[in-house]
Amino acid sequence: MKLYVSTFAPNPRRVTMFIAEKGIAGIEQVMIDLAANEHKSEAFVAKNPLARVPALELDDGRVLCETRAICTYLEGLHPEPNLMGDGFEERAFIEMADRRVEMHLFLGIANSVRHTHPGLALLEQPQFPDFGASQGEKMREHARWLDGELAKRAFVAGERFTVADITAWCALEFARGLMKFRPGAEGMPHLQAWRDRMAERPSAGR
């Protein structure tokens, strides 16, 4: 299999971290240079018409896109360690936590960065700085919500590490790098403590 990724992009990082946590070997990584518009090349668009990374090319030639779908496929191939839930009930609650982080925290960070950071102007035209600024504020609302949740439990979806922690980690690290967001400096000690614990995992460097 081949996994198409891009440096610094948070969604590919979610998949590579998932792979690292699973201990999966043998998936070739193919780097796509977004700054050079390689994601819009004829060859890549033939694999993913939406011109987005990540994309997982299977051994039979089919291409699976969208981060969560790729992780679901890999979870099926490599059930252990379990990251998406054991049984329908746990799977539902982990998916709820993961989707909340993705749709509210992660998306707010992405919108803020894409519309305010000059380095992303080539990828986001036109940029709307006011929209980006408002998304940065809304992201912080959801970060405060997550800080409250992490005051009650050790991990995003419960008492063990799951795919929801991967989504939250990659979102916060993207904000840390491009928004200079530090939860502890903004009155979110539980989120900061969780972030610091996650940074100690070997997969966090992927």
Side-chain angles (χ1 to χ4, degrees), residues 140-156:
R140 285 171 167 83
E141 291 178 14
H142 292 105
R144 284 188 284 273
W145 160 78
L146 186 55
D147 179 70
E149 294 297 299
L150 289 167
K152 298 179 285 188
R153 55 180 181 265
F155 298 95
V156 173

Side-chain angles (χ1 to χ4, degrees), residues 52-154:
R52 304 275 180 92
V53 287
L56 180 67
E57 186 171 358
L58 308 183
D59 290 337
D60 62 9
R62 291 179 297 164
V63 179
L64 186 62
C65 304
E66 306 304 333
T67 300
R68 178 75 190 215
I70 294 170
C71 290
T72 297
Y73 182 83
L74 295 174
E75 178 97 340
L77 286 181
H78 304 272
E80 299 299 332
N82 179 281
L83 296 177
M84 301 183 86
D86 183 14
F88 77 92
E89 190 168 295
E90 189 186 29
R91 282 197 303 271
F93 278 93
I94 290 173
E95 183 172 350
M96 176 181 72
D98 190 40
R99 291 293 285 167
R100 281 178 166 176
V101 170
E102 182 178 47
M103 296 301 296
H104 302 297
L105 182 69
F106 190 103
L107 187 59
I109 291 167
N111 282 335
S112 179
V113 169
R114 290 179 74 92
H115 286 278
T116 61
H117 199 284
L120 275 75
L122 289 175
L123 299 177
E124 191 67 44
Q125 284 296 324
Q127 284 185 315
F128 297 99
D130 289 346
F131 171 72
S134 70
Q135 288 291 293
E137 290 304 312
K138 288 183 178 180
M139 175 279 288
R140 285 171 167 83
E141 291 178 14
H142 292 105
R144 284 188 284 273
W145 160 78
L146 186 55
D147 179 70
E149 294 297 299
L150 289 167
K152 298 179 285 188
R153 55 180 181 265

Side-chain angles (χ1 to χ4, degrees), residues 136-198:
E137 290 304 312
K138 288 183 178 180
M139 175 279 288
R140 285 171 167 83
E141 291 178 14
H142 292 105
R144 284 188 284 273
W145 160 78
L146 186 55
D147 179 70
E149 294 297 299
L150 289 167
K152 298 179 285 188
R153 55 180 181 265
F155 298 95
V156 173
E159 295 306 318
R160 70 180 183 92
F161 182 90
T162 69
V163 67
D165 294 284
I166 292 175
T167 301
W169 162 262
C170 293
L172 284 182
E173 288 305 284
F174 193 51
R176 179 182 177 87
L178 296 182
M179 296 175 67
K180 308 305 178 187
F181 176 62
R182 304 290 189 274
E186 298 193 27
M188 305 175 211
H190 308 292
L191 185 56
Q192 184 68 55
W194 170 88
R195 183 265 161 205
D196 293 342
R197 290 199 310 274
M198 293 302 104

